[in-house]
């Protein structure tokens, strides 16, 4: 066949370890034979981040701002052990954190569903997409241990440092304890709200947002009010599509999520999103089946897998052993990015190719050919699951594609 042409490049962010190995294979086996792939390539692998003093990460984020769509491979966030392993000059910050800060984006995570892989919650027939506000609250807090006899105050000063307001948090006369200060910013909450409403409208799915504003009458109330205000800009879109925006209390939201059929966007405050995204991901099955996209409030997109670089498999790969690493979430990062690029450029052939690759991937699993992580989760009448190695799985998809 003639290869599908692209008009605008994708921003391609390469990564580390096992996912870097899969990255190359996915392109070679599933994309390059069919698409005249145009990318602007950034190597975010740890050795190159170190060599460029992490400038490559910033450049790749700026390129995403310019072109609007990026696809990212999983990357190592260095810790002390990686410092020695890679002989690093510095303990570079998390690339995802850097990119998120530059794009001011929100991360949406959605499971990839296949017949035969049943979620632990049987009512969940469609994906529950979770959006986590990635700024403030307990993640940017200050906290102290307080001794018996001390008092803790919440003090607000003006720009010159003059005290304007003061409240007693607690008088520790009876004994020692702890105190914590948290904050959030209107702009960040507003960006988060825009990203969420925009995503719900694009995906044509209803949206829940919840806080605990009955208890937190100023702090959580501010989230509620900003969401209500931003919603007015999207109300007509929601009404036209016949989808609902529901604001409720967090405990009610949790109960509704468990009862629902899926097919909903759940926007969460930072801590709720941290905890609930792990619950939702686990309940759907494997980390290898969780996709992720960063959406900025002005509509820039960066697609990736939710999992990491699968280090344990990589060390086995280096020893020459066969690996059976699930590439589905990384394939869906590519298809998400190609489809979005196609949509923005009015390139229907590219969108259609992305959707076909997704269907080929899902049907490979549904017909019983899968990587090792899925085998114990799989149960479908008349189909015996067969474990394939990393490359065999990609070739099984290519056959269907
Ligand atoms: P991980 O790479 O997600 O892997 C944790 C374990 O989950 C694996 O050992 C494997 O279990 C299973 N797993 C995850 N993805 C899988 C897949 N695609 N196929 C099959 N099994 C899969 O997390 P990690 O080991 O904690 O982190 C490794 C590195 O990734 C770290 O350096 C971390 O900084 C980085 N990381 C990057 C990102 C990102 O770029 N977005 C996100 C998270 C972590 P078994 O070994 O039992 O098979
Ligand atoms: Mg968590």
């Amino acid at each position: 066949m003639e290869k599908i042409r692209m008009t605008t490049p994708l921003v391609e962010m390469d990564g580390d370890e096992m996912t870097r190995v899969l990255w190359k294979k996915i392109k070679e086996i599933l994309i390059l034979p069919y698409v005249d792939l145009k990318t602007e390539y950034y190597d975010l692998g740890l050795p190159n981040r170190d060599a460029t003093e992490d400038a490559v990460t910033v450049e790749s984020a700026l390129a995403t701002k310019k072109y609007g769509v990026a696809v990212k491979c999983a990357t190592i966030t260095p810790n002390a052990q990686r410092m020695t392993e890679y002989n690093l000059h510095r303990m570079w910050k998390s690339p995802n954190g850097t990119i998120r800060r530059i794009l001011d984006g929100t991360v949406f995570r959605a499971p990839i569903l296949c017949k035969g892989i049943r979620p632990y919650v049987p009512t969940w027939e469609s994906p529950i997409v979770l959006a986590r506000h990635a700024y403030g609250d307990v993640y940017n807090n200050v906290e102290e241990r307080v001794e018996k006899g001390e008092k803790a105050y919440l003090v607000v000063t003006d720009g010159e440092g003059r005290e304007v307001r003061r409240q007693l948090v607690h008088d520790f006369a009876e004994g020692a304890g702890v105190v914590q200060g948290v904050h959030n910013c209107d702009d960040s909450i507003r960006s988060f709200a825009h990203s969420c409403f925009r995503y719900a409208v694009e995906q044509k799915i209803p949206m829940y947002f919840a806080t605990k504003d009955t208890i937190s009458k100023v702090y959580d109330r501010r989230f509620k009010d900003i969401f209500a205000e931003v919603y007015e800009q999207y109300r007509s879109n929601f009404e036209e599509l016949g989808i609902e925006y529901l604001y409720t209390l967090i405990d009610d939201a949790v109960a509704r999520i468990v009862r629902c059929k899926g097919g909903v966007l759940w926007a969460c405050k930072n801590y709720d999103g941290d905890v609930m995204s792990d619950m939702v991901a686990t309940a759907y099955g494997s980390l290898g089946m969780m996709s992720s996209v960063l959406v900025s409030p002005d509509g820039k997109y960066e697609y990736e897998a939710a999992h990491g670089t699968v280090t344990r498999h990589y060390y086995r790969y280096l020893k020459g052993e066969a690996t059976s690493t699930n590439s589905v979430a990384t394939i869906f990062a590519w298809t998400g990015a190609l489809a979005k690029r196609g949509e923005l450029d009015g390139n229907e052939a590219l969108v259609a190719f992305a959707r076909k690759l997704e269907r080929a991937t899902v049907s490979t699993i549904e017909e019983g050919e899968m990587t090792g992580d899925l085998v114990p989760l799989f149960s479908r009448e008349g189909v015996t699951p067969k474990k394939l190695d990393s490359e065999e799985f990609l070739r099984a998809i290519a056959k269907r594609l």
Side-chain angles (χ1 to χ4, degrees), residues 72 74-75 77 82 96 304 307-313 326:
K72 180 179 171 291
T75 46
T77 297
R82 300 292 197 173
N96 286 49
E304 63 178 326
H307 60 76
T309 59
V310 211
T311 311
R312 296 208 315 164
H313 294 212
N326 190 333

Side-chain angles (χ1 to χ4, degrees), residues 115-118 374-381 383 385:
K115 295 193 185 86
I117 301 196
R118 301 271 301 161
L374 298 180
V375 172
L377 306 173
F378 190 86
S379 132
R380 200 172 178 206
E381 228 180 88
V383 185

